[in-house]
Each structure stands twice: as structure tokens, then as C-alpha cells.
Amino acid sequence: MKKLKEYWMIIILLICFLGMGFYWYEWRPYKIRIQCAKETVESYESINSFGTPDQLKLYLDICLKKKGLEE
């Protein structure tokens, strides 16, 4: 118990870094992909007669690149 009191600041910092890492590498990309997929579906519905699967994939790729997920 005494050791825990000595290292409480390190434990809190470690938990914060793990939380920030989870947000940056897991949660943020997940939300961006959902948002880009919704935008792609909405654009497909607006240009339904002209949209092809290749155009939809291209639009999705552009959206992901714009938001910083794909290179």
C-alpha cells in the first residue's frame, strides 16, 4: 500500500496516456469512417442515376484523406 502512495502520479499519467492513445488510434478513426460513409451514402442518394461503385469508393477515399486517415 505504501508503494502505491509513492507512485500514484505515475499511475495517473499512465492511465491518461493509455486513454489518449485509445482515443487517437481507435475511437477517432472509427468516428471519421462512420462520418465519411454517411457522407458517401448521402452523395449517392443525391446523384443516384450517375453514381457508380467506383465513384463512391473514390468519394470515400477523398473524404478519408481530407480528414487525415488515408495517405
Side-chain angles (χ1 to χ4, degrees), residues 3-58:
K3 289 229 180 209
L4 184 64
K5 288 182 182 178
E6 293 174 7
Y7 296 113
W8 70 272
M9 188 62 133
I10 294 172
I11 293 170
I12 290 174
L13 285 174
L14 182 63
I15 291 171
C16 287
F17 282 125
L18 289 174
M20 292 168 71
F22 175 78
Y23 169 77
W24 192 257
Y25 291 107
E26 298 294 330
W27 189 257
R28 182 182 152 267
Y30 170 73
K31 288 296 189 178
I32 290 173
R33 284 189 182 95
I34 287 175
Q35 183 182 7
C36 285
K38 284 181 183 178
E39 289 177 14
T40 302
V41 168
E42 289 170 0
S43 71
Y44 177 72
E45 289 172 351
S46 67
I47 57 169
N48 193 7
S49 60
F50 303 112
T52 64
D54 291 335
Q55 290 173 332
L56 294 175
K57 172 109 174 74
L58 179 65

